[in-house]
Amino acid sequence: DKSTVKSSASSSDIRRNSSFLSLQANEKSSSSSGVAREDRNTGIIKRKTWKEYTVAMGGIYVGFLLFILYCVTQASSLVTIIFFGEWAEQPDAVQSSSYWIGLVYGLTLVLIFFAFIRTRLTFFFCLKASQHLHDAAAEAVLRAKIEFFDTNPLGRILNRFSADVGIADDQLPLTLVDFLVGFFLAIGSVATAIVSLPMTLLALPPLLWYFVRLRKIFVTTTRELKRLEGLARSPTYAMIGEALSGVATMRANDAIGFFQKKFEDVHDAHGRAFFAFVASSRWFAIRMDFIAFVFMSVTSLLAVLFQDQGWLSISPAVLGMCLTLLLQMAGTNFPWVVRQSAEVVNQMISVERVSAFGHLPSEAPLVTNYDDKVGAEWPIEPSISTTNLTVRYRASLPPALSDVSFSVKSGQRIGICGRTGTARLLFNPSCALFLTSCDI
């Protein structure tokens, strides 16, 4: 009946949005306890993030060097395949000649050399970029204001320096190499097919339109799912730290069952986001296989048709090379490259999150201009004088003291009564604090 249908629809909506409701509940509980909500970017990866990663790798010249290496390696691969085909067509006596043997071995060694150099340099510069980003984030956190540690749980900080840095160290370099190698191989295969078999241009426009439309949907979806997965991971680390530090309190208050249930809810929210990301990747892979095999099938049929009708003379060796490259691209290369291109964008979210920690507001500098103005004997008779002192625990909280003026003479003993933690204060710019006649 209608009530049953409405009830099942409502329960389906609740299950569908349970991960987001769980994340919102965690954010509300964090806000009520004085913990700031974790920043979450939306939309495409900003150009600033790509620029910072490129600069961390070594600059635009490093990117240009890698581009040249990948182009030269792909060109060497195509030249080697062409000469292998010509070598196979030679008579047995010619094939064993020193010229062809030296040529085949020389081309193979050159191809192996360029492939090794490009992979080695790509991994080196990616790890260098990850190291620079980690060092910048660590230095910024160590010099961050006390407010940052008061409003960010330990699990959130640990998540950035463990999971996100781990992705930038381990997964992003390998994914980037896979994408670049496969991308240049796919470009070489398609270019060879177009030059050798011009009729393949008939099948490209509709397939390209379908491909661009699918990739836009996939990248947009998985990018936001990856961000949700990163946000859902932080409460897990936070609760592990709470359990380790407060296990005695939980046992004393018989709250182990409550804490376990809360941890399972947080872990399930992270699992739902991660499973949605994996499922969307499988959805995209099936459609990429369909595009690749349709392109290969249309190319084969058109080649046979043009040859049979005499519209275009096609060499069997050239046709075999093109079909071999297209078969390789359709079977493994093209779907894998497109998925890896989206995965590079998704893993750049970790770079984005680590880079955000590198721009945290810092405490006052350790060295100021007053260090050069005062002599080594300063202060001789220290005294403290304040005018219109206004202090607060955090910028978002009301002032704990407002417009307080006082002076303490040298050698005078005083007592200060007030709230606990008054050393954690932000001074209002309108306040003047003098130490032995020096404005600090």
Side-chain angles (χ1 to χ4, degrees):
D1 55 357
K2 294 182 178 181
S3 61
T4 304
V5 173
K6 184 181 294 185
S7 175
S8 61
S10 300
S11 61
S12 176
D13 293 338
I14 292 174
R15 288 192 300 268
R16 189 182 303 115
N17 300 315
S18 56
S19 61
F20 303 103
L21 294 175
S22 178
L23 287 175
Q24 292 175 358
N26 291 329
E27 291 177 351
K28 290 180 179 178
S29 62
S30 299
S31 300
S32 62
S33 61
V35 177
R37 293 176 59 181
E38 186 171 7
D39 295 334
R40 178 199 167 198
N41 295 323
T42 56
I44 62 175
I45 303 296
K46 294 181 176 57
R47 187 181 302 175
K48 177 183 176 182
T49 303
W50 295 100
K51 182 179 178 180
E52 288 184 355
Y53 191 73
T54 304
V55 171
M57 289 179 68
I60 189 65
Y61 297 105
V62 171
F64 183 73
L65 172 64
L66 293 178
F67 175 77
I68 294 298
L69 279 175
Y70 277 90
C71 290
V72 170
T73 306
Q74 184 58 38
S76 301
S77 176
L78 293 178
V79 170
T80 303
I81 293 175
I82 292 174
F83 276 94
F84 266 58
E86 293 185 2
W87 177 52
E89 293 180 349
Q90 302 298 322
D92 294 340
V94 178
Q95 287 184 5
S96 58
S97 64
S98 59
Y99 169 76
W100 279 104
I101 295 297
L103 181 62
V104 168
Y105 276 100
L107 291 175
T108 304
L109 291 177
V110 169
L111 177 59
I112 294 174
F113 172 76
F114 280 117
F116 173 77
I117 292 298
R118 72 174 180 184
T119 305
R120 182 71 174 84
L121 290 180
T122 304
F123 274 99
F124 172 78
F125 288 119
C126 286
L127 292 177
K128 179 182 177 182
S130 179
Q131 180 182 358
H132 285 180
L133 292 172
H134 170 270
D135 293 344
E139 183 179 357
V141 169
L142 292 176
R143 294 286 299 139
K145 297 181 178 181
I146 296 298
E147 178 183 1
F148 170 77
F149 298 97
D150 289 340
T151 57
N152 288 273
L154 180 61
R156 183 179 301 174
I157 303 174
L158 183 63
N159 183 25
R160 300 286 178 104
F161 283 96
S162 58
D164 291 320
V165 172
I167 290 175
D169 280 342
D170 302 332
Q171 300 182 23
L172 182 58
L174 181 60
T175 306
L176 190 60
V177 168
D178 285 345
F179 164 68
L180 291 175
V181 171
F183 173 76
F184 279 91
L185 182 60
I187 292 296
S189 301
V190 175
T192 304
I194 292 176
V195 172
S196 305
L197 307 173
M199 73 286 297
T200 56
L201 291 173
L202 299 175
L204 278 181
L207 293 179
L208 281 177
W209 174 84
Y210 185 55
F211 161 71
V212 171
R213 184 170 177 269
L214 283 177
R215 188 182 183 279
K216 181 179 180 181
I217 296 173
F218 174 69
V219 171
T220 303
T221 303
T222 54
R223 183 180 60 233
E224 299 306 319
L225 286 174
K226 196 68 175 180
R227 284 177 172 144
L228 282 175
E229 190 263 339
L231 288 176
R233 195 190 309 123
S234 295
T236 305
Y237 284 98
M239 293 197 68
I240 291 175
E242 293 172 3
L244 294 176
S245 61
V247 61
T249 304
M250 288 189 297
R251 290 176 177 176
N253 292 276
D254 196 19
I256 295 179
F258 168 78
F259 194 87
Q260 182 179 358
K261 178 63 169 60
K262 186 177 178 181
F263 179 79
E264 290 176 354
D265 293 339
V266 171
H267 195 271
D268 288 345
H270 173 262
R272 281 188 286 267
F274 182 75
F275 179 79
F277 172 78
V278 174
S280 62
S281 300
R282 296 300 95 198
W283 173 87
F284 185 66
I286 294 175
R287 283 150 181 82
M288 288 301 99
D289 289 337
F290 171 76
I291 292 177
F293 280 104
V294 166
F295 181 65
M296 186 188 65
S297 301
V298 170
T299 301
S300 303
L301 292 175
L302 289 178
V304 173
L305 178 63
F306 276 59
Q307 178 70 19
D308 184 65
Q309 297 296 326
W311 297 338
L312 182 66
S313 178
I314 302 175
S315 172
V318 173
L319 178 61
M321 182 186 68
C322 293
L323 292 181
T324 300
L325 292 175
L326 291 177
L327 182 62
Q328 180 184 7
M329 185 185 72
T332 56
N333 188 52
F334 181 67
W336 176 252
V337 168
V338 179
R339 289 201 302 270
Q340 291 301 91
S341 69
E343 191 64 22
V344 168
V345 176
N346 295 329
Q347 291 175 3
M348 283 297 295
I349 295 175
S350 297
V351 175
E352 179 184 65
R353 288 162 58 84
V354 175
S355 177
F357 265 27
H359 301 283
L360 295 174
S362 176
E363 287 280 2
L366 298 176
V367 179
T368 63
N369 295 330
Y370 292 107
D371 299 332
D372 300 328
K373 293 181 180 180
V374 299
E377 68 279 2
W378 181 87
I380 300 175
E381 293 183 357
S383 62
I384 300 176
S385 177
T386 64
T387 304
N388 299 329
L389 176 63
T390 299
V391 293
R392 67 183 76 217
Y393 288 94
R394 288 200 299 271
S396 58
L397 297 178
L401 295 177
S402 299
D403 295 332
V404 177
S405 302
F406 65 91
S407 61
V408 181
K409 297 180 180 179
S410 176
Q412 186 177 6
R413 295 184 178 182
I414 61 173
I416 300 177
C417 301
R419 296 170 60 181
T420 303
T422 50
R424 302 176 182 179
L425 302 174
L426 296 176
F427 284 82
N428 191 298
S430 63
C431 163
L433 178 59
F434 293 88
L435 179 61
T436 316
S437 301
C438 289
D439 187 1
I440 61 173

